[in-house]
Amino acid sequence: MPQGKIVKTSSTLFTVRSADGLFACRPRGRFRLDGLVPLAGDEVLFEPRKDGSGVLTQILPRKNALVRPPVANVDRLIIVISAAPPVTARLLIDSMTALAEFYEIEPILCLNKTDLDPGTELAELYASLGYKLIAVSAATGAGLEELRETMRGAFCVLTGNSGVGKSSIMNALYPGFDARTGELSERIGRGRQTTRHVELLETADGGYVADTPGYSSFDAIEMEMTEPKRLQFCFPEFEPYLGNCRYSDCAHAKDDDCAVRAAVAAGKICETRHESYVRLYNRVKDLKEWEK
């Protein structure tokens, strides 16, 4: 049975790209009975028909799945940030890196508008934490080739605050990107949390790109990360200190004899990073079950 990748979802119709081309597929009835929802990015088995339609028969195991946008098997999360107006808030950056860590997606920080502000402090901080950071300027073209190479052949999701230059970057890398996403936005009402209409934009180098709606600082927490105990593992600089606190269930927020808090006080963990963690943790732990 042929295998392919879902590159577009629209209500109950799923466009699958396989070695033999594109097929407009519908899922077998048991998918609904089993509570299975195919997502863009899913690797699937399907039964092709001569008229270009088909039937989805199986969703192969996913390595991850996001809620916004609803996609699966993401390789890299491209987090576009800026030190020039509109400046990206530290909390938003930390929310997005934590989201990537939560789902074991490789986070790539793309520092844009470096022709206006080089963002040296941001670059030094996140590079020191082990994150890959690429400084670019969509206006001058600086750094774009490195970004292109980083995205080559991978399924990347693009995110960032409004006005940070996501579309400018992608148009510079892939001409026509904005026109395609704009057309899709108008057609499906992009930004509605419940929509499952997603189209992956295929790049010439064999990769795929999905754009996100504009995230606010807590969108990722409310919709994606709902397990407060896992959040501590989404801040890699905490790792050397985990398990060394007085209490085994230490939340690292305000607990006494906390090894993480002691590391913050000693300057071994950046204070703003810990502040972001505490705000995210408090948000997650206060979510009601129905919100999850």
Side-chain angles (χ1 to χ4, degrees), residues 8-237:
K8 182 179 178 181
T9 66
S10 178
S11 187
T12 59
L13 194 64
F14 303 88
T15 302
V16 175
R17 176 173 291 284
S18 74
D20 296 320
L22 294 173
F23 292 84
C25 299
R26 296 188 184 277
R28 279 187 170 167
R30 65 178 177 81
F31 275 46
R32 178 175 294 182
L33 294 176
D34 294 341
L36 297 176
V37 179
L39 300 177
D42 270 332
E43 294 290 335
V44 296
L45 300 182
F46 70 104
E47 296 176 354
R49 294 171 177 164
K50 292 182 180 180
D51 63 358
S53 65
V55 177
L56 297 182
T57 60
Q58 184 179 348
I59 299 173
L60 299 180
R62 296 167 176 161
K63 62 181 180 181
N64 53 54
L66 298 178
V67 175
R68 190 180 186 190
V71 294
N73 301 313
V74 179
D75 296 311
R76 299 184 182 111
L77 184 64
I78 309 297
I79 307 165
V80 184
I81 63 176
S82 175
V87 176
T88 306
R90 293 284 184 91
L91 179 59
L92 180 56
I93 300 173
D94 296 337
S95 297
M96 293 297 100
T97 56
L99 173 65
E101 299 282 356
F102 190 86
Y103 283 108
E104 298 183 352
I105 299 171
E106 182 184 4
I108 306 293
L109 291 171
C110 176
L111 179 61
N112 191 27
K113 303 185 181 182
T114 52
D115 54 311
L116 302 177
D117 190 316
T120 303
E121 183 181 354
L122 275 179
E124 290 179 350
L125 169 60
Y126 289 96
S128 73
L129 298 174
Y131 291 113
K132 183 176 179 63
L133 185 141
I134 302 173
V136 307
S137 169
T140 68
L144 291 181
E145 191 54 39
E146 181 183 358
L147 179 61
R148 189 198 307 274
E149 286 301 313
T150 298
M151 298 174 66
R152 184 179 297 278
F155 176 19
C156 299
V157 169
L158 191 75
T159 189
N161 54 300
S162 179
V164 79
K166 292 188 298 175
S167 294
S168 297
I169 290 172
M170 295 309 295
N171 274 318
L173 292 176
Y174 310 111
F177 177 88
D178 192 50
R180 289 183 62 185
T181 56
E183 179 186 354
L184 181 64
S185 300
E186 183 176 347
R187 191 163 68 244
I188 68 175
R190 174 177 165 217
R192 285 178 291 178
Q193 180 179 333
T194 57
T195 185
R196 293 194 179 277
H197 298 69
V198 177
E199 183 176 359
L200 304 188
L201 306 182
E202 188 173 5
T203 63
D205 54 30
Y208 293 89
V209 179
D211 195 8
T212 67
Y215 270 112
S216 71
S217 296
F218 288 121
D219 275 343
I221 300 307
E222 292 178 341
M223 295 187 296
E224 309 280 2
M225 295 185 286
T226 56
E227 300 175 49
K229 290 183 179 180
R230 284 187 58 190
L231 189 60
Q232 61 187 318
F233 302 108
C234 298
F235 286 73
E237 66 269 42

